[in-house]
Amino acid sequence: MKERTITLDHGSGGRATHELVREVFARAFDNAFLGQMNDSAVLQVPAGRIAMSTDSYVVDPVVFPGGNIGSLAVHGTINDLAMSGARPLYLTAGFVLEEGLSLALLEEIVEAMARAARDAQVAVVAGDTKVVPKGKADKIFINTAGVGVVPEGLELGGQYARPGDVVLINGTIGDHGMAILCTREGIAMEGEIQSDSAALHDLVAELLEACPQVRVLRDPTRGGVATTLNEIARQSEVGIRLFEEALPIRDDVAGACELLGLDPLYVANEGKVLAIVPRSVAEKALDVLRGHPLGRDARLIGEVTDRDPGRVVLCTRIGGHRLLDMLRGEQLPRIC
Amino acid sequence: MALKYIDEFRDGELARAVLQRLKTRCRDLGPMRFMEICGTHTVSIFRSGLRDLLPPNVELISGPGCPVCVTANGDIDRAIWFAGRPDVIVTTFGDLLRVPGSRSSLLQERGNGADVRMVYASFDAVQIAKENPDKQVVFIGIGFETTAPTVAAAVQMAARDGVDNFSVFSAHKVLPPVMEALLESENLLLDGFLCPGHVTTVIGAKAYQAVAERYRLSCVVTGFEPLDILQGLTLLVEQRAEGKPSVEIQYRRGVTWEGNPTAQKLMAEIFEPADAVWRGLGKIPGSGLALRPQWARFDAARRFDLPPMEGKEDPACRCGDVLRGALRPPQCPLFRKVCTPQNPKGPCMVSSEGTCGAYYRYFRES
């Protein structure tokens, strides 16, 4: 039997489009808002401040160990909301499909997306689908946008790091980027490197509940931990020192990085949060993180200082120092 | 695949002990200058912050050992020329894409519609040729004796599988001749070379014997982890203290005196020594590799009737001096101001293992 694929008809706005929306998207994302089938979803929002974010996903390969482009598109936008302390409420999803995409693959991706949204208790309330001729896109591109509600009185931001604070991370570094790269390049490590793609809002909520003193939350996606900390160092006009010996890096990730000449500190993560907190609450924050399934390997990896403002310096294992600059150029193409 | 035994060579406590011993050893000696030939050494030295920790009388000079960096403008121009032929797919290793030639780079040409693809292994280029029988696939071969055998193997594979649309443009370089050329150049006072572990796994430590004897210079074949480098430096310092320069192997877990005979044989079967132009250093006799006449049908230069090209070097770019160890990157007037990794003027800034790129990324001006 010939495999069913996406054709240009599916993007025509006509009958095929309606069938695709009904059979694939509406069925998977099933909720009252989407069920209205109007031009826009009308939503109930609580009083207070709203956080809003959007991101487009073009990852290649579209399926990788630990997830696919669909689950990633949900986790990524939820995490962007969570980093401002918001409780995510609603997502939208826009799809650009390449003519010839396997329908079974599309269903797999959409189902993973729906599952990720359900697990995170977030509704996908609006969507859009376009089909482009073969070669004009690479299988499938997804855009998600999301809104969430920010608790009263909470003020997080990259500009709030202060000398004396410490840098925490909820687990191992570089897993997502290396999972993608090893899949793409057919590099077989012992076992398989799994992407860390996960929704962090629950972990973040627990952390903020226990430690409202948290100053900065950031998810080190593209550009990795080094680039994200550089952004914070610049925004807050402080220096950041990272301790090489304290960095949690899986053996297989370190090995694959070594093999390809990459630095895990610049490799993307999709289920990690960098938290900058006053030293006085560091222990408590680590306890909370470690008590959550997504934070078992949480560590204190650095400190904020008034030396070298705007810069990140790595204190190496052998007692040396080196500058950790922003990512220059492209270390890995298209990993999120 | 397991890749362990990395941490052992980055052990902080052990490194501090070795460093202390090195300092003690250096105490009564005069100033010493050692050159690390290989870009991987340069990067490792920066990444571990080793430079700041060394005794004040030990100076490390970064040599020309990044194959991307030493690729001459003319060779980039030739690669671009291939990319401009109709129905040609140019394949090469990633770093080369951004290297500026006289007028453009492969990356720029790709933006203009040329089919230029990055591969991680030369076999991938043969695979691309198999998948595109109606196209010509040209592999731009760069690298030292570490990569040349794999390219030789790719040529053999193409011959065996009858892949007639695959060819190689060889811009390969070999190391020992350039070491001699450096030593012949003026004002380069050296006490020894930190010789590259990887290249030497192929060519064997014996390859440095002639240099060591003729120039009375220490050559210590060294691994790439911080502890390897510290131990390699200690051996260099000890040779200097005893006044007995010779070839020594620190990187015993990878390198032997004879090297890898299989790789050597493979390389010798496909390639023969040729003169090569090195960026900043000019033409060095016998420092390149060309396809032997019996493999001419896989030689892209012959298949396409490549016209002669004289690469034009940017007169303001001081990469040549940097590659000779005569200038430190921050002393170049373009460094950090005009020349950055996003907008590199010269090859030393382009490659992740280039001296200027390493300085830019890791060097903390105090």
Side-chain angles (χ1 to χ4, degrees), chain A residues 181 185 187-190 241 244-245 251 254-256 258-260 262-264 307-308 311 313-314 316-325 328-330, chain B residues 1-4 6-7 10-13 15-16 19 46-50 52-53 98 118 120 124 225-227 230 336 341-342 360-365:
Chain A
L181 202 70
E185 300 305 332
I187 296 164
M189 301 301 290
E190 222 167 59
R241 314 216 135 208
E244 190 175 41
E245 232 149 355
D251 278 350
E258 201 65 29
L259 196 66
L260 295 169
L262 303 174
D263 186 338
R307 291 165 64 191
D308 300 309
R311 290 185 162 189
V313 171
L314 183 78
T316 68
R317 281 171 209 238
I318 66 164
H321 296 88
R322 75 160 145 114
L323 190 62
L324 266 187
D325 208 344
R328 304 279 163 187
E330 210 174 12
Chain B
M1 167 181 10
L3 253 179
K4 287 192 180 144
I6 296 173
D7 286 352
R10 293 179 185 172
D11 185 313
E13 223 166 287
R16 283 189 281 274
L19 193 62
F46 272 113
R47 284 186 57 173
S48 57
L50 194 62
D52 303 342
L53 303 174
R98 264 185 283 202
M118 180 179 104
Y120 281 88
D124 296 346
E225 295 303 328
L227 265 171
L230 276 172
R336 247 186 233 283
Q342 294 96 320
Y360 189 98
R361 266 181 277 270
Y362 304 128
F363 183 63
R364 204 161 49 104
E365 282 144 300

Side-chain angles (χ1 to χ4, degrees), chain A residues 16 36 57 61 71 156 166 192 257 269 293 303 306:
Chain A
Q36 295 161 359
Y57 299 83
S71 51
L156 297 171
V166 294
E192 207 173 34
C257 280
N269 309 275
E303 63 188 15
D306 49 9

Side-chain angles (χ1 to χ4, degrees), chain A residues 93 104 196 239 242 281 296 320 330:
Chain A
D196 59 347
L242 271 193
V281 299
R296 276 196 299 262
E330 210 174 12

Side-chain angles (χ1 to χ4, degrees), chain B residues 233-355:
Chain B
L233 286 171
T234 307
L235 293 174
L236 281 169
V237 168
E238 272 165 11
Q239 286 195 13
R240 157 73 189 260
E242 286 158 21
K244 284 184 193 155
S246 66
V247 180
E248 219 175 326
I249 305 172
Q250 178 279 330
Y251 192 46
R252 292 197 173 274
R253 63 190 189 280
V255 168
T256 59
W257 186 255
E258 294 297 331
N260 179 338
T262 313
Q264 289 170 15
K265 204 173 137 231
L266 188 60
M267 213 162 41
E269 192 189 325
I270 306 289
F271 294 114
E272 61 186 9
D275 297 350
V277 178
W278 294 57
R279 192 183 293 248
L281 303 174
K283 186 187 264 190
I284 301 173
S287 68
L289 293 173
L291 273 92
R292 288 188 180 277
Q294 60 266 41
W295 297 96
R297 65 201 156 101
F298 291 103
D299 188 340
R302 288 184 232 196
R303 180 173 298 183
F304 289 90
D305 210 6
L306 182 72
M309 277 178 226
E310 280 298 323
K312 207 169 85 249
E313 309 269 343
D314 182 342
C317 172
R318 303 282 302 274
C319 278
D321 293 329
V322 171
L323 292 171
R324 271 203 312 277
L327 189 83
R328 284 170 60 245
Q331 297 170 315
C332 170
L334 302 186
F335 182 75
R336 247 186 233 283
K337 299 184 186 80
V338 187
C339 185
T340 63
Q342 294 96 320
N343 183 26
K345 291 293 166 201
C348 298
M349 186 61 92
V350 175
S351 165
S352 56
E353 299 209 334
T355 308

